[in-house]
Amino acid sequence: GTTYRNRDDRDAEMRTATYLKRCFREQFPANVGLVCLFFRPNRQRIDADNLLKHVCDSANGIIWADDSQCTAIMGVIELD
């Protein structure tokens, strides 16, 4: 099967991937740890795991070959 992604999600992943391409010159060859600090403008409920999935999916082929290389993940959401 395939995973459903709407157009807005796909466009957001492309924007994030474009940013990551400017920040990373080459892929990590081995396992990595990922820590993300997310700033939200309001108290709207959102899951940190969904935000982390966005970053992991966007970074495939840029920071690492596949997000299975992320062996430690931490996400923090702060109110901006």
Side-chain angles (χ1 to χ4, degrees):
T2 59
T3 303
Y4 171 76
R5 291 186 332 183
N6 69 32
R7 185 177 184 170
D8 291 338
D9 291 342
R10 188 174 59 246
D11 291 346
E13 281 183 15
M14 288 175 56
R15 284 192 305 275
T16 301
T18 300
Y19 174 78
L20 293 172
K21 286 178 187 176
R22 290 184 289 186
C23 296
F24 292 88
R25 296 180 192 264
E26 58 187 50
Q27 293 180 8
F28 290 101
N31 292 347
V32 297
L34 176 67
V35 177
C36 295
L37 176 59
F38 300 101
F39 291 94
R40 301 292 297 168
N42 56 37
R43 295 186 184 276
Q44 174 187 1
R45 286 187 61 195
I46 190 160
D47 295 333
D49 61 326
N50 289 338
L51 295 171
L52 286 166
K53 181 180 181 334
H54 167 85
V55 173
C56 287
D57 289 344
S58 299
N60 280 334
I62 300 168
I63 298 177
W64 44 68
D66 185 74
D67 56 8
S68 63
Q69 288 175 248
C70 286
T71 56
I73 300 175
M74 183 175 90
V76 177
I77 301 173
E78 291 287 334
L79 185 61
D80 189 13

